[in-house]
Amino acid sequence: MAGERKAGWSDQVAIVTGASRGIGRAIARELAARGAAVCVNYATQKAAAERLAAEIREAGGRAIAVAADVADAEAVARLTAQATAELGPVGILVTNAGFALLATLESYDPQAMARMRAVNVDGAIHAIRAVAPGMRERGFGRIVIIASNAAIGTALPGTTFYAATKAELLILMRRFAMELGRSGITVNAVAPGWIVTERTRAGLSEDAFAARIKEMSERTMVGRTGLPQDIANAAAFLAAPQSSFLTAQVLTVDGGRMDYIGHG
Ligand code: NAP
């Protein structure tokens, strides 16, 4: 099979969307540490993205930082063209860019929700559409979608509509896996639990953050909150050239969360 022939990491080129910070940055670092060349995508934080690309190059790897709003299909096509021109044909895509807008039925704002969906869902679709033709041509691809355990039924207040965007990604993941599987392309998702990043720290005082860590740790079987590296390990496993018989799966990395919504 085409996938097995490309056994090594060192001839891989990866795009990681939303890699200037948080989970995306950890994924980009992990793929680079395994030998892949990495295109570090970002939306606004140019300096942070360039710092990461420079760090990877200084460690002997290959990396570039490229701006693109993933909600903009043309910008994503340009990003893919630049990654291909400067690093080589893209074999790995991690769609990580996304954000959570908290709302209830009462505070639902259609425009704000449309933007969240455009980034979280359309952003992944644009990126997959941009890399799929090249992957098909070469008969090899690893696509990893960063969803959330909210998509499969955790119950934090305010995350309802965010959860819906992430649930949409899971069905798309399975359908894209069906469409692309015969071309040597696997499509899988990681569903992270509560991971400490800039986003989960945002707006909290030191005390409030410590209380949040305690609360979220108690909800897990392992008794701790997650680190970006926990997600990077899972993403790299799914993106590995050797993971060619593993597709259409959700890998939940949430420390064994015990607060899923029950029914029936
Ligand atoms: P974060 O710290 O807020 O980082 C978000 C990253 O996405 C940044 O690099 C940001 O770029 C980029 N980004 C945002 N909007 C973008 C756009 N329109 N186009 C391109 N890039 C964009 O987030 P995180 O906590 O690492 O979360 C990363 C992913 O994991 C998200 O999809 C999130 O839903 C998912 N997730 C996170 C958790 C968690 O607990 N943290 C749990 C489950 C799932 P700039 O820096 O340039 O703005």
Side-chain angles (χ1 to χ4, degrees), residues 18-24 41-45 68-71 96-99 115 119 146-148 162 166 192-195 197-200:
S20 51
R21 52 198 159 97
I23 291 170
N41 161 247
Y42 65 97
T44 56
Q45 301 215 4
D69 174 356
V70 294
N96 165 80
F99 68 97
R115 171 65 187 166
V119 173
I146 305 302
S148 168
Y162 166 72
K166 295 295 187 172
W194 203 80
I195 311 298
T197 65
E198 283 86 338
R199 144 184 131 132
T200 43

Side-chain angles (χ1 to χ4, degrees), residues 11-33:
D11 54 359
Q12 298 301 330
V13 173
I15 293 175
V16 183
T17 66
S20 51
R21 52 198 159 97
I23 291 170
R25 179 172 56 197
I27 294 170
R29 277 189 180 130
E30 183 61 34
L31 299 182

